[in-house]
Amino acid sequence: MQTDDVLAFLDQHPDFLAHHAERLGLKPSGAPQDRVVVSLAERQMLDLKDRNRQLESRLQQLIRHSEANDRIIASAHQLGLTLQACLSLQDVLNALPACFAEHFKLKRVALRLWHPAAESAGPAYDARSEVAALARNLSAPYCGPYVNDDVLAWFPAAPVLQSFAQLALRDGKGQAFGLLALASDDPQRFTFDMHTHYLAQIGEQVSAALTRVLEAQ
């Protein structure tokens, strides 16, 4: 059969391709009355375009996450530099709220210590066993919408706080001697499912700075 014969057959039977589209690797397109079929190559091209759009969306998401991580790393670096410059316990107590406000845009920061050398820390000193037990039970930073009444009382009543992070502060032997609490009125700032790798590192930085100045007293 010659090409002209095939074309003549298709002219005489215009529904042939639509009726046998699946067998021939073709896909009907548009309304049934349009009698339009899409070739296998065109279908593959459409599938590739759709996959490309998905990959572009995923790439943009990864870029946003990368940029957010870069900002956190830069802020944590500034925190580390600030803490290294602190020469006394009072220096650390003054530096933490200011540093979190400037670099992390967090204005609700509370610190409680029960280290024997921290009795001069004023309101930041809290030797109650309940607070110490809370810190001991934190094997990793806690993030979520809930804290107990003791921790909640460390913050002003307004604005209404929606999410919290709690970081246990430990000495070189792994013993908890303090608790750092961060709070936000944004319910998405600290969530149950967020990664706590950077928060853990921040806790280690604060722990090291406090251990240094407390042991020097």
Side-chain angles (χ1 to χ4, degrees):
M1 181 177 291
Q2 301 298 318
T3 301
D4 290 341
D5 297 329
V6 173
L7 295 175
F9 175 82
L10 292 176
D11 286 338
Q12 296 173 8
H13 302 83
D15 295 332
F16 179 82
L17 291 178
H19 290 161
H20 299 278
E22 183 175 353
R23 182 177 179 182
L24 297 174
L26 305 174
K27 182 172 67 174
S29 174
Q33 65 271 19
D34 292 340
R35 296 182 179 178
V36 176
V37 294
V38 180
S39 69
L40 178 60
E42 187 174 353
R43 183 179 66 181
Q44 291 176 331
M45 181 61 69
L46 293 173
D47 290 342
L48 286 174
K49 288 182 178 179
D50 183 60
R51 180 167 175 77
N52 186 56
R53 283 192 294 268
Q54 295 177 13
L55 291 174
E56 287 181 352
S57 176
R58 177 60 176 162
L59 178 59
Q60 291 300 319
Q61 185 181 38
L62 290 174
I63 290 174
R64 288 194 297 270
H65 287 170
S66 177
E67 291 173 344
N69 287 340
D70 287 344
R71 288 192 295 271
I72 293 173
I73 292 172
S75 297
H77 177 66
Q78 292 300 320
L79 173 64
L81 293 177
T82 299
L83 292 175
Q84 286 180 12
C86 293
L87 301 179
S88 67
L89 174 59
Q90 194 58 49
D91 287 344
V92 177
L93 297 179
N94 293 339
L96 282 176
C99 196
F100 275 101
E102 178 180 357
H103 299 295
F104 295 92
K105 309 308 177 187
L106 278 171
K107 297 182 179 180
R108 298 291 180 261
V109 179
L111 175 68
R112 293 296 183 272
L113 304 170
W114 48 92
H115 191 287
E119 293 186 13
S120 62
Y125 180 73
D126 190 338
R128 289 179 299 166
S129 59
E130 295 85 355
V131 180
L134 175 61
R136 285 196 302 269
N137 291 332
L138 287 175
S139 58
Y142 161 85
C143 294
Y146 308 114
V147 290
N148 64 24
D149 291 340
D150 285 332
V151 175
L152 188 61
W154 299 350
F155 299 98
V160 176
L161 301 174
Q162 301 289 332
S163 62
F164 303 85
Q166 297 177 87
L167 291 68
L169 305 177
R170 302 181 185 277
D171 59 22
K173 297 180 180 179
Q175 298 298 314
F177 67 89
L179 182 69
L180 177 64
L182 312 174
S184 173
D185 56 0
D186 178 2
Q188 298 303 313
R189 186 65 188 266
F190 302 109
T191 60
F192 282 130
D193 58 350
M194 72 181 295
H195 296 291
T196 59
H197 175 70
Y198 293 125
L199 283 173
Q201 289 185 339
I202 289 171
E204 292 172 355
Q205 288 182 319
V206 175
S207 296
L210 284 168
T211 300
R212 173 172 51 82
V213 296
L214 287 170
E215 291 181 350
Q217 294 193 159

